[in-house]
Amino acid sequence: MEKIEHTTVPTNGINMHVASIGNGPVVLFLHGFPELWYSWRHQLLYLSSRGYRAIAPDLRGYGDTDVPPSVTSYTAFHIVGDLVGLLDKLGIEQVFLVGHDWGAIIAWYFCMLRPDRIMALVNTSVAFYPRNPAMNPVDGFRALFGDDYYVCRFQEPGVVEEGFAQIDTAELVKRLFGSSSSKPPCIPKEIRYRDLPDPPDLPSWLSEEDVNYYSAKFNQKGFTGGLNYYRCLNLTWELAAPWTGAQIKVPVKFIVGDLDSTYHIPGIQEYIHNGGFKIDVPLLQEVVVMEGVSHFLNQEKPEEISEHIYDFINKF
């Protein structure tokens, strides 16, 4: 870990913290919520030891990267702009792209908007969702799961932050990472975050040292930056209207855990396995469903995920 280099790169009007290690073809890793570059620590070391330059930024609003104050500064277009600017500043023409959770959503947009910069994509947890011109995504989630669904609960600025502030950040990190339910994450308004049950034990893949790293960074910057991605879901949807019906035209491998709640959204398994996914992502080459694995698969099964990434990008 001490061999990982940390730099700050100006891009798209913000300063972005970047962790990197190794030399060779570039693999760019995009983290999710509530995470950091650190979520890819295992993959950085694995890929760099096999002849790749592994790069993992703290995305806009996270960790040691700037947190723009405006809620509307967190659309997928802003984030992809940050990443294109990062590659330009580093003099990198093309990358292998790897995403998880929100990083997976950003990765789909990156490939849709700038396929010229992507050699191949390994995406995890969140499958591609083709844009529905008749309904915005928040209303879509509300129709499926009701107002208590976490995406809907995250919409109003300040409310969730107030709830998160009721609990020690390290304890909150343990609860967020420790949840392994495949049920849709719903949080009734009358439930306070401090009343949520503690996970029975710290997951075996998460150490106290890991928890302390995450909690220290979120204590510094808060959660608002990450939450603003959810608050910009509908704005991104509006701005993406010209790309309605657009396909993802880069080679793709998709990995998901069978216990991941994203894999249990109604209709998603049929979409992934019965041809719909392949229509929208015509260069989809592999779909891997990992048995007994939950949402944070890159940390839960680091060696297997690293091997999956390496085996795919090594073909190109």
Side-chain angles (χ1 to χ4, degrees):
M1 286 286 284
E2 63 277 0
K3 293 180 181 177
I4 295 173
E5 297 178 5
H6 295 272
T7 54
T8 300
V9 179
T11 172
N12 196 26
I14 64 168
N15 292 308
M16 176 173 269
H17 166 248
V18 180
S20 63
I21 184 172
N23 294 290
V26 176
V27 187
L28 179 64
F29 293 92
L30 308 180
H31 68 78
F33 177 89
E35 301 180 77
L36 302 161
W37 76 268
Y38 188 83
S39 299
W40 296 109
R41 59 199 178 278
H42 306 292
Q43 288 74 33
L44 290 179
L45 299 177
Y46 184 101
L47 271 297
S48 65
S49 72
R50 283 158 180 79
Y52 290 89
R53 181 182 178 190
I55 297 177
D58 283 333
L59 295 178
R60 171 183 292 238
Y62 285 93
D64 293 320
T65 292
D66 287 350
V67 184
S70 173
V71 173
T72 56
S73 295
Y74 292 82
T75 69
F77 294 89
H78 288 89
I79 315 305
V80 172
D82 297 343
L83 297 169
V84 170
L86 172 66
L87 298 186
D88 289 347
K89 195 74 178 175
L90 297 178
I92 298 166
E93 189 59 37
Q94 284 193 314
V95 297
F96 293 109
L97 191 61
V98 182
H100 171 254
D101 186 77
W102 257 107
I105 296 172
I106 298 303
W108 293 123
Y109 274 101
F110 200 161
C111 291
M112 189 164 66
L113 299 173
R114 293 302 304 269
D116 57 305
R117 307 303 293 266
I118 311 300
M119 286 183 281
L121 167 66
V122 179
N123 234 0
T124 69
S125 292
V126 182
F128 180 70
Y129 292 120
R131 184 180 184 275
N132 178 0
M135 183 179 289
N136 70 53
V138 176
D139 285 349
F141 284 125
R142 189 174 284 115
L144 281 174
F145 303 119
D147 288 332
D148 291 341
Y149 188 59
Y150 79 105
V151 172
C152 304
R153 287 289 313 275
F154 284 1
Q155 291 304 306
E156 192 174 335
V159 173
V160 174
E161 289 92 329
E162 190 177 321
F164 282 179
Q166 297 170 358
I167 183 173
D168 176 74
T169 305
E171 290 304 310
L172 181 61
V173 166
K174 289 178 186 178
R175 293 178 193 190
L176 292 171
F177 280 119
S179 173
S180 58
S181 173
S182 60
K183 295 178 181 177
C186 291
I187 311 161
K189 285 188 176 175
E190 60 273 13
I191 297 289
R192 296 174 299 180
Y193 287 89
R194 63 178 177 226
D195 296 332
L196 293 174
D198 288 325
D201 290 298
L202 203 60
S204 60
W205 48 267
L206 195 69
S207 70
E208 288 290 350
E209 182 185 0
D210 298 332
V211 169
N212 291 339
Y213 187 89
Y214 284 111
S215 58
K217 294 301 179 185
F218 282 109
N219 275 333
Q220 287 172 16
K221 291 286 178 75
F223 290 91
T224 296
L227 292 166
N228 283 344
Y229 286 58
Y230 296 92
R231 293 164 185 157
C232 281
L233 269 169
N234 285 351
L235 180 54
T236 292
W237 173 83
E238 287 179 27
L239 297 172
W243 289 271
T244 301
Q247 294 175 310
I248 302 297
K249 293 186 176 178
V250 305
V252 173
K253 178 175 187 172
F254 180 69
I255 311 168
V256 66
D258 69 347
L259 300 180
D260 194 328
S261 64
T262 63
Y263 190 58
H264 294 271
I265 293 172
I268 195 67
Q269 294 183 30
E270 293 76 11
Y271 172 73
I272 290 172
H273 300 295
N274 293 351
F277 196 15
K278 180 71 173 175
I279 291 170
D280 294 324
V281 187
L283 300 182
L284 179 68
Q285 296 186 14
E286 294 180 58
V287 172
V288 177
V289 180
M290 300 179 72
E291 290 187 18
V293 178
S294 192
H295 181 65
F296 297 100
L297 72 183
N298 52 330
Q299 299 182 81
E300 191 176 337
K301 297 290 181 183
E303 191 79 12
E304 289 176 53
I305 292 296
S306 296
E307 288 171 0
H308 275 304
I309 295 166
Y310 176 73
D311 288 346
F312 187 63
I313 67 175
N314 195 40
K315 297 176 182 179
F316 298 92

